[in-house]
Amino acid sequence: MSRPVLVVDFGAQYAQLIARRVREAHVYSEIVPAAITAAEVVARDPVALVLSGGPSSVYDAAGAPRLDPAIYELDLPILGICYGAQLLALQLGGTVERTGAGEYGRTAVSRTPAPTSLLAARPELATCWMSHGDAITAPPPGFTVTATSPGAPVAALEDAVRRRYGVQFHPEVAHTEGGQALIARFLELAGAETTWTNASIVDEQVAAVRAAVGDQRALCALSGGVDSAVAAALVLKAIGDRLTCVFVDTGLMRAGEGAQIEATFADTFGAELIHVRAADRFLAALAGVTDPEAKRKIIGELFIREFEAVARDLAAHDARPAFLVQGTLYPDVIESGGGHAATIKSHHNVGGLPADLDFSLVEPLRRLFKDEVRAVGAQLGLPEALVWRQPFPGPGLAVRVIGEVTPERVAIVRAADAVIADEIATAGLARELWQSFAVLPALRTVGVMGDGRTYDYPIVIRAVTSEDAMTADWARLPYDLVERISSRLIREVPGVNRVVLDVTSKPPGTIEWE
């Protein structure tokens, strides 16, 4: 694999988006914490660094993150964005001040007459996305001011000789005119190889799986979602019939899940598929449990125990697997506290694994965002209907049943989810939404149906738009669609007498309720 670009995260809302934009330019990127040292940077051998934005003021002595000064001594191209640009300027001898003229949202940025390597192809006046209170008022020695704005005397600066660049605006945001082209230009100036493609991802991961597994066997945990399906297809390409796919029916799956998995892998790919029917065991283990983290960890451990039981059975027939394949994605790693990130929630395939795991893990998608996974799935020939399935949590419908998970409550949320999926598909919105599903709260409400009093559950409609699940906005569903969904839910799903719509973005909420 070619040398990566490291995105140094200073607490930015858009750090993940920067990493994705670099990958869209066909250069591999990774997110690293602000506390990274020069020695750690050297060990990763990056081709360049991007310093992200962040919520702090560079003058906040108590909490403003800094970059290890020794990193500036390395011969590495650096692009600072927003806070990253201010930090670059300050640490290299420039001046940053709170001028009282902050800028937020769409802002006109003017290119100066000074020679510029980074902005040469940009128009003299461009609309950019700003979000800053402080401003760079004087560049460091050796730097040239290449752009200004009404509230930023130094909206862009560069030292072309040392390949150090800073922009006060956010090129990673779609609202910035020519933002992606600017990122691509920086990567060109850095000498980055544009080899990160769907085909290269497949080739690299197939080679990595073969090297890791050797001549041994592997199990793959199929959950019904696109992540585990693509992971299975990749490993199947790598080791062929030494892969056994295992679908554990937890009783927490969407309607028709098992049939689709069997049709795809047993019929389409000819893979060995073991269907474990374990609904009773999972529901029994979840009885009386209401804490969301406890539910996730119980389900995660039971998953592993079911796989171990399959492994013992295979071992009895001289086919013991030594590896467990999982569809872990990069956002899973970040949310579960991978690296230096704060744990938002445990994913059963990351933070919820038991300590005495009897397998070595193979996670061929661990470095990928969801859109990259879909592209790889298409490259591998997975059916379009599977590739474009909405994301589904590893613990299944248990995370959409708030409070205790019972057979009755799972049946309600499964039926409600099927109604929502059907109406969204009929409306032609399935591809436009990141996810749309039903949530069953842990409460009942009074209603009136057929001239009689009811005391049943409400259903929450959750529909969001997103690019990578790191941030999300609530979807503005047409009111007539919401009305049809509501009418069907109350009419067709026993136990439901009220429907509400979730209008919370991420942040402050998460996409799932648990």
Side-chain angles (χ1 to χ4, degrees), residues 218-222 228 231-232 235 243 323-327 360-364:
L219 286 180
C220 182
L222 286 178
S228 62
V235 177
L243 172 69
F323 292 86
L324 174 63
V325 180
Q326 294 199 124
S360 296
L361 290 181
V362 174
E363 298 174 308

Side-chain angles (χ1 to χ4, degrees), residues 136-197:
I136 304 168
T137 55
F143 278 77
T144 300
V145 178
T146 57
T148 64
S149 71
V154 183
L157 70 163
E158 67 178 66
D159 179 342
V161 174
R162 290 184 293 175
R163 295 184 295 176
R164 305 288 167 81
Y165 312 89
V167 292
Q168 184 62 70
F169 54 90
H170 288 272
E172 73 276 18
V173 175
H175 304 302
T176 292
E177 183 180 350
Q180 182 63 22
L182 185 151
I183 291 172
R185 175 59 178 161
F186 168 69
L187 298 173
E188 179 185 358
L189 294 168
E193 296 181 12
T194 54
T195 56
W196 180 252
T197 64

Side-chain angles (χ1 to χ4, degrees), residues 62 81 198 388 442 489:
I81 295 175
N198 300 336
W388 285 99
L489 288 174

Side-chain angles (χ1 to χ4, degrees), residues 5-15 17-19 21-22 49-56 58 78-89 118 129-132 136 155-157 164-173 176 179 182-183 186:
V5 168
L6 299 184
V7 178
V8 184
D9 184 6
F10 291 101
Q13 178 183 359
Y14 298 127
L17 186 55
I18 296 170
R21 295 297 186 232
V22 172
L49 300 181
V50 178
L51 312 184
S52 83
S56 301
V58 293
I78 299 176
L79 171 63
I81 295 175
C82 194
Y83 179 89
Q86 295 173 3
L87 191 63
L88 176 78
L118 184 65
W129 190 261
M130 290 281 202
S131 182
H132 68 98
I136 304 168
L157 70 163
R164 305 288 167 81
Y165 312 89
V167 292
Q168 184 62 70
F169 54 90
H170 288 272
E172 73 276 18
V173 175
T176 292
L182 185 151
I183 291 172
F186 168 69

Side-chain angles (χ1 to χ4, degrees), residues 250-255 257 295 299 392-402 405 409-415 417 437-438 440 514:
T250 62
L252 304 169
M253 313 307 293
R254 291 171 288 194
E257 203 88 68
K295 288 194 288 187
I299 293 168
F392 188 62
L397 297 176
V399 302
R400 296 175 183 173
V401 173
I402 310 305
V405 178
R409 302 188 76 217
V410 171
I412 291 173
V413 80
R414 179 184 293 115
D417 183 78
F437 54 88
L440 185 68
E514 288 192 359

